[in-house]
Amino acid sequence: MEKHHYLYRIYYSDTLVYVGRTNQRLSDRIRGHVFKKPMQRLLQIDQISKIEYAELPTEADMFLYEIYYINLLHPPLNRDDRAHDELTVSLPDLDFTEYLPPRWEQWKQEIAQMDEDIVLQAKHRAKMFEEIQQKKIELRKQLKADEISRDEFEEQLWLLSNEQAALYARG
């Protein structure tokens, strides 16, 4: 099986924001960025306007061009590989081809659904938190009206506080 060596550039609007390299299928690598796989920079799929790639003949060329473009163009999301001074060499420009992953629209829908699920979970936690607060208020009223003992109050308050803490831990 022939190995591929890709250098890719990602844009938000007209601004180059990231330069990366990969030996794996380009769509797999881009998917890793938008779904935040381990050891990959998270890129916001809804902000990506363009992806370009160039295929290089060797892995060494791929590594060299990645560092070259990062230090030449200073993409804001490539902070780790930047030198503290300017380049004194130049390499021939690569010909980049625009790339659209085959499942791009499906990925957008999946991420939108994940975002909706997160919002719904947060709303549910907020509602539960409010319900617990109301239970605490009722509990205090019962204590003031001598409807429950101090021990019962303390025990139920402790249970409700633990329930609230568990909500925070899940959030």
Side-chain angles (χ1 to χ4, degrees):
M1 184 171 156
E2 185 181 335
K3 194 143 188 169
H4 295 276
H5 313 287
Y6 297 110
L7 187 70
Y8 58 93
R9 303 191 300 197
I10 297 180
Y11 293 80
Y12 290 175
S13 296
D14 293 331
T15 304
L16 174 68
V17 294
Y18 189 76
V19 173
R21 62 177 159 74
T22 188
N23 289 321
Q24 67 188 101
R25 287 183 19 209
L26 194 52
S27 64
D28 292 342
R29 182 63 178 191
I30 301 301
R31 188 180 200 300
H33 283 298
V34 299
F35 285 93
K36 186 54 181 130
K37 299 294 182 192
M39 304 299 293
Q40 292 188 23
R41 165 89 52 204
L42 175 63
L43 299 169
Q44 301 300 320
I45 195 168
D46 58 333
Q47 293 184 27
I48 295 173
S49 60
K50 180 169 62 170
I51 302 168
E52 299 176 324
Y53 75 96
E55 189 168 356
L56 293 142
T58 68
E59 188 174 48
D61 289 348
M62 178 185 67
F63 282 117
L64 179 64
Y65 267 101
E66 180 193 31
I67 293 299
Y68 175 73
Y69 278 122
I70 288 170
N71 284 286
L72 179 69
L73 304 171
H74 306 287
L77 299 181
N78 289 100
R79 291 187 287 275
D80 298 336
D81 297 318
R82 280 195 209 152
H84 298 291
D85 50 5
E86 295 300 316
L87 289 169
T88 60
V89 298
S90 62
L91 297 175
D93 280 335
L94 295 176
D95 290 325
F96 283 86
T97 304
E98 196 159 339
Y99 178 72
L100 181 65
R103 295 195 178 122
W104 190 248
E105 291 305 316
Q106 180 184 340
W107 295 352
K108 283 183 173 183
Q109 290 174 359
E110 285 178 43
I111 289 170
Q113 183 61 52
M114 288 168 44
D115 290 345
E116 282 180 32
D117 291 346
I118 289 168
V119 168
L120 288 174
Q121 289 171 8
K123 285 181 178 179
H124 178 69
R125 277 193 309 276
K127 181 181 178 205
M128 290 177 63
F129 184 85
E130 185 60 36
E131 288 173 3
I132 293 169
Q133 287 297 101
Q134 288 301 318
K135 288 178 184 178
K136 285 181 173 183
I137 290 168
E138 289 301 314
L139 197 58
R140 286 185 183 91
K141 287 178 183 176
Q142 290 174 343
L143 179 65
K144 262 188 170 175
D146 288 328
E147 295 173 4
I148 59 172
S149 70
R150 170 60 74 178
D151 287 343
E152 289 173 309
F153 170 78
E154 295 290 339
E155 182 180 336
Q156 288 191 27
L157 187 64
W158 181 81
L159 290 171
L160 290 170
S161 295
N162 283 344
E163 200 175 328
Q164 266 183 332
L167 282 174
Y168 281 122
R170 282 184 261 155

